[in-house]
Amino acid sequence: MTLKRKAPVVLATIAALGLTACAQSERDDGGSGDSGSSDLKDTFTFGAAGAPKLFDPFYATDGETFRITRQIHQGLLGVTPGTADVQPELAESWEPSDDGLSWTFKLREGVKFSDGEPFNAEAVCYNMQRMYEQEGAGQQAGEYWTYFWGTFSDDPEGSLYDSCEAQDESTAVINITRVTSSFPTILSLDSFSMQSPKALEAGDANNVQAQGDGFTYPEYAMNPVGIGPYKFDNYDEANKTVTLVANDQYYGEQPKTPKIVFKIIPDESTRRQELEAGSIDGYDLPNPVDWAGLEESGNSVEVRPAFNILYMGLNPERNPKLKNLKVRQALAYALNREQMVQTQLPEGATVASQFMPEAVSGYNTSLEPYAYDPEKAKSLLKEAGAEGMKLTFAFPTEVSRPYMPDPQKIHDAFAKDLEAVGIKVEVVSKPWNGGYLDDVSSNGAYDAWLLGWTGDYNAADNFLGTFFSNLKENDFHTSVMPWGKTLSQDLQAADGIIDEAERAAAYEKINQQIAEEYLPGLPISHSPPALVVSGNVEGMVASPLTAEQFDTVTVSK
């Protein structure tokens, strides 16, 4: 991985109960940035591939939204820049009880939200309860809570979260219902950031309403109040720009550049043209074929490790033919994934054999990807009585993702592969934040679709658990499969194993079962994504989690 400062990238292995931290954050208390220098611009302009969904991270689900919200908000835990390692953020240290079910967090003192309200233990508990007590459409919109915490307060038996206690101004205790390798690491996720209780109440923050295939959000969602180095200024939908400005209440060093503008440019080639013209200073996910040319032009291409998975999701509830293992295996044999990887993904991309990358503990090294074998696919379809079956196969528009630089090209290649074995493909597309994600996650609108995942932290549960652990609600609709409950229970049991070696072995077995016995979807590939900045930009530290912070960035005139 190439970084401006040649910083090494380390993917951390998180232990279930051994995760404690007493180190202070490296952020300074106070100080000012370098933005006053006459040699530096006061604005960093970043080309965004898609429009943000909203600015309340609790309801966010996509990278384009999180890229903005992580500049505004912070959580109890953070991530060390350039790594996947957890570090202190709003909590300076944390310690578990002997049984691992109560965690005591010592908080930074003297911290304020951008509206001047104090951050303290009561604010922590307010935020935790606000997330836990979602109702109606808010539960559907709060997908990350469902992924990582399970159920809400109306169904406490399925919840990881139990309660929160404010022992004193700077001490919060979060109680959980079971031991998991993911806690407290999940508190580093953008969705669970701390927000101003006063602003949440004033903006009626929980008033989410279902509307058609999606949701409408309250006033607060478009005018958030956090603790990060930047604060929200405005969203000009007509000109497709989001502007953030330095948060003068921020407890740490002021941002090096006082203003960030996110310019929404869905087309990747247009983003490159604007970078070359100097109207933007960087953008994410440059087309791999352009990397060399971009560097030759004096730009810096920052390549991250492949910490992601692209997959084809399958919905057996919508299309009963997909309940047959032979049909799902036929789809796997039909796809020429190796050719797709070689022609459409960057150097270093690999065909996936399972739903998580090799760097994660629990990866099964004995598994091989399904081979490209169209004749085998035809044979299996015939055995299953599914010759000529129809498949509604969807892809997103107005987006590039780390695992999916050009969704339509990948979809076109796979649609041809499926048609070549006799499957009748109905092609569907929708904008990423214009209905596609809702159709996949909430509406079950497609038989098959392209989607993926970039790890939030280095644990098998962050991949397999996110996809399949929640039997009641998962995109693959495993609740209608005879093995769905078993898979869910096995994943929850594996996540609760304290011994690392034992836990890794359990996940290796589950990975084999998913590949050979269940096949709820088709793992496609792992791809090393990149972002590019102009030669005038300094201080950008690429993240393996694609979770870059922009407060260290400067832009020369």
Side-chain angles (χ1 to χ4, degrees):
M1 179 179 180
T2 302
L3 292 176
K4 284 279 188 181
R5 298 176 181 175
K6 306 298 183 184
V9 170
V10 180
L11 298 179
T13 300
I14 307 299
L17 292 179
L19 182 61
T20 60
C22 297
Q24 299 290 325
S25 168
E26 293 181 358
R27 294 187 184 275
D28 296 327
D29 293 326
S32 59
D34 297 329
S35 57
S37 170
S38 60
D39 296 329
L40 299 177
K41 294 183 179 180
D42 66 358
T43 302
F44 172 57
T45 303
F46 193 85
K53 186 175 182 179
L54 73 175
F55 305 105
D56 178 348
F58 180 69
Y59 299 122
T61 57
D62 68 289
E64 294 303 326
T65 298
F66 285 134
R67 190 196 319 280
I68 297 171
T69 62
R70 76 172 51 95
Q71 317 304 326
I72 303 171
H73 302 282
Q74 289 190 346
L76 294 181
L77 279 61
V79 177
T80 304
T83 79
D85 297 339
V86 170
Q87 71 170 8
E89 199 156 82
L90 296 177
E92 293 183 326
S93 66
W94 50 93
E95 191 75 33
S97 59
D98 290 342
D99 62 5
L101 298 180
S102 293
W103 289 76
T104 300
F105 296 85
K106 289 294 183 181
L107 309 178
R108 286 181 177 275
E109 297 184 13
V111 174
K112 294 182 180 180
F113 292 97
S114 62
D115 62 357
E117 288 294 300
F119 168 73
N120 51 34
E122 288 186 2
V124 171
C125 290
Y126 183 97
N127 273 269
M128 295 305 300
Q129 288 298 122
R130 176 248 172 165
M131 293 184 279
Y132 181 50
E133 293 173 357
Q134 293 288 308
E135 298 177 350
Q139 294 186 0
Q140 294 176 285
E143 288 183 30
Y144 262 62
W145 182 275
T146 303
Y147 286 148
F148 297 105
W149 298 89
T151 54
F152 295 86
S153 60
D154 59 352
D155 185 15
E157 291 185 3
S159 174
L160 170 63
Y161 177 78
D162 178 62
S163 61
C164 180
E165 307 165 30
Q167 284 191 352
D168 57 46
E169 284 287 300
S170 61
T171 308
V173 178
I174 297 178
N175 302 303
I176 56 177
T177 60
R178 58 182 172 83
V179 174
T180 168
S181 63
S182 296
F183 194 86
T185 314
I186 54 177
L187 294 174
S188 67
L189 301 185
D190 297 298
S191 289
F192 312 131
S193 298
M194 297 290 105
Q195 305 184 62
S196 167
K198 181 179 179 180
L200 288 166
E201 287 190 4
D204 199 14
N206 290 357
N207 187 18
V208 179
Q209 301 294 326
Q211 184 177 64
D213 294 337
F215 306 98
T216 59
Y217 297 95
E219 176 187 350
Y220 176 83
M222 305 308 290
N223 190 24
V225 178
I227 291 178
Y230 290 94
K231 62 182 179 180
F232 180 78
D233 184 60
N234 72 81
Y235 178 19
D236 186 340
E237 294 189 60
N239 290 312
K240 297 183 177 181
T241 60
V242 178
T243 302
L244 310 182
V245 295
N247 173 15
D248 56 7
Q249 299 284 344
Y250 185 51
Y251 63 86
E253 183 179 349
Q254 282 289 296
K256 300 291 186 183
T257 302
K259 182 186 293 186
I260 304 175
V261 173
F262 295 91
K263 188 174 182 180
I264 300 160
I265 311 169
D267 181 66
E268 191 276 336
S269 62
T270 304
R271 293 197 296 276
R272 178 179 180 178
Q273 292 169 8
E274 295 220 20
L275 178 70
E276 292 173 339
S279 54
I280 63 174
D281 302 304
Y283 66 93
D284 203 358
L285 309 177
N287 192 316
V289 301
D290 293 335
W291 288 5
L294 285 165
E295 290 196 320
E296 288 172 3
S297 299
N299 303 294
S300 178
V301 176
E302 314 285 358
V303 184
R304 310 163 173 125
F307 197 56
N308 55 42
I309 175 74
L310 167 66
Y311 58 82
M312 179 190 289
L314 301 174
N315 184 352
E317 188 170 20
R318 188 178 190 277
N319 187 335
K321 289 188 182 297
L322 294 172
K323 292 182 179 180
N324 191 320
L325 177 61
K326 290 183 178 180
V327 171
R328 301 194 302 277
Q329 289 175 328
L331 299 182
Y333 284 117
L335 301 184
N336 192 343
R337 290 175 291 172
E338 185 65 45
Q339 183 181 67
M340 188 282 293
V341 166
Q342 291 179 357
T343 59
Q344 299 193 46
L345 299 183
E347 183 179 350
T350 57
V351 174
S353 63
Q354 50 210 283
F355 280 89
M356 63 190 213
E358 190 172 0
V360 179
S361 177
Y363 182 89
N364 191 321
T365 57
S366 68
L367 291 176
E368 294 290 336
Y370 278 77
Y372 173 55
D373 191 340
E375 294 306 314
K376 178 72 170 177
K378 293 177 184 178
S379 175
L380 286 168
L381 289 171
K382 184 175 182 180
E383 290 178 29
E387 292 176 293
M389 68 175 283
K390 295 181 180 179
L391 196 73
T392 302
F393 180 24
F395 71 93
T397 61
E398 299 182 17
V399 71
S400 293
R401 298 308 303 136
Y403 43 78
M404 187 169 55
D406 191 326
Q408 182 169 358
K409 286 185 179 179
I410 294 173
H411 183 277
D412 288 348
F414 287 157
K416 289 179 182 177
D417 289 340
L418 295 171
E419 290 170 342
V421 300
I423 294 173
K424 298 175 183 177
V425 177
E426 178 188 356
V427 176
V428 179
S429 65
K430 271 191 178 182
W432 180 256
N433 274 332
Y436 185 80
L437 292 176
D438 291 332
D439 276 356
V440 169
S441 299
S442 302
N443 305 321
Y446 314 126
D447 300 342
W449 63 91
L450 291 178
L451 204 58
W453 185 260
T454 296
D456 298 294
Y457 51 89
N458 192 5
D461 182 65
N462 186 230
F463 288 88
L464 302 184
T466 299
F467 300 144
F468 312 118
S469 185
N470 188 330
L471 181 62
K472 292 182 180 180
E473 294 184 23
N474 70 65
D475 295 351
F476 299 82
H477 299 262
T478 57
S479 61
V480 303
M481 303 302 288
W483 41 261
K485 185 176 181 180
T486 299
L487 175 57
S488 175
Q489 291 175 338
D490 287 349
L491 285 169
Q492 291 176 24
D495 181 47
I497 297 172
I498 296 175
D499 182 80
E500 282 193 64
E502 184 181 348
R503 187 168 68 246
Y507 278 118
E508 288 177 23
K509 180 181 178 181
I510 292 171
N511 272 317
Q512 183 170 357
Q513 290 175 310
I514 290 173
E516 297 177 356
E517 300 174 33
Y518 307 151
L519 203 64
L522 311 181
I524 303 297
S525 56
H526 310 290
S527 179
L531 76 161
V532 58
V533 292
S534 78
N536 295 328
V537 172
E538 295 289 339
M540 176 68 76
V541 181
S543 165
L545 310 178
T546 66
E548 287 78 20
Q549 297 282 351
F550 291 166
D551 57 314
T552 58
V553 170
T554 60
V555 186
S556 300
K557 292 180 179 178

